Amino acid sequence: MPGIFFFVFACGVRAGEPLDLAADLFGEGQWASARVESLRVQAAETGPEVNRARLLSAASLLRMGTARERAKSDLSSLWQDAAIDLETRCMAAYELGLADWADGGNTNVLATLKFAYLKAREAPLFWRAGCSLYFFLKANKPIRRQEAATWQSLQSCRDAWPLEVWRECRPRKQ
């Protein structure tokens, strides 16, 4: 549950904005309804709201467990588009990294989580990206050796991560 509320916060949705309803539905765990509402916002709005709606739509798809490849493709395009605001790009990179990691892939996990960790300006996203990257590198010793500077950075800032972040980001045993 903490991750759900974090996501709504990290999307930058504030009261009175077009994404209010979609963010509320997402926070309640109503993924399908949140996706429908975010699609409505994409059709009706312009500017940064559209990109946050795309992010919310893709994250909803991931949480529903359907069309994962389409969601990951949307997240990838958001992450790589330099014209989009940095926090939206960081959140897309974070979500994409977690999705790739959950799917057992190691191709984009390092690049996406590292991007979110190094570029995030908001503390909650910085903590979660760093903590997730920490656990990813901890489980992959060869990659950890190649990323010695990143590993050292994570080692030095990990004491600042709140306990709920540690619990949320810790890989689940099957």
Side-chain angles (χ1 to χ4, degrees):
M1 273 310 216
I4 293 171
F5 298 114
F6 155 69
F7 184 86
V8 172
F9 169 77
C11 275
V13 178
R14 295 178 190 20
E17 288 193 5
L19 274 176
D20 278 359
L21 180 56
D24 288 346
L25 292 167
F26 190 92
E28 293 169 1
Q30 297 182 37
W31 321 125
S33 298
R35 181 163 187 277
V36 167
E37 186 60 23
S38 65
L39 291 173
R40 186 196 63 76
V41 170
Q42 289 178 52
E45 298 294 326
T46 60
E49 294 85 11
V50 171
N51 294 322
R52 288 194 297 264
R54 287 176 56 203
L55 174 60
L56 196 58
S57 175
S60 296
L61 277 177
L62 287 175
R63 305 271 188 310
M64 288 186 318
T66 58
R68 288 185 66 80
E69 290 307 314
R70 181 171 14 136
K72 287 168 46 174
S73 175
D74 288 347
L75 290 170
S76 181
S77 67
L78 285 167
W79 164 50
Q80 295 174 357
D81 188 349
I84 295 174
D85 68 282
L86 188 59
E87 284 304 307
T88 301
R89 290 180 65 206
C90 288
M91 192 65 205
Y94 176 70
E95 286 287 326
L96 178 59
L98 292 182
D100 279 345
W101 191 13
D103 292 346
N106 286 342
T107 310
N108 287 328
V109 178
L110 176 65
T112 54
L113 290 179
K114 188 175 174 181
F115 179 87
Y117 169 65
L118 294 175
K119 305 279 185 182
R121 301 289 178 251
E122 299 291 331
L125 179 55
F126 171 75
W127 293 333
R128 282 166 176 80
C131 191
S132 297
L133 183 57
Y134 170 82
F135 283 119
F136 175 74
L137 290 176
K138 187 176 179 183
N140 295 286
K141 196 170 188 174
I143 298 173
R144 184 172 68 217
R145 286 186 182 146
Q146 293 172 355
E147 294 291 328
T150 304
W151 180 247
Q152 184 177 6
S153 171
L154 292 166
Q155 292 285 351
S156 64
C157 72
R158 69 184 187 159
D159 290 337
W161 300 331
L163 183 59
E164 74 262 7
V165 171
W166 281 100
R167 288 180 178 148
E168 181 184 327
C169 297
R170 183 176 304 278
R172 310 292 191 281
K173 293 183 181 179
Q174 294 189 4

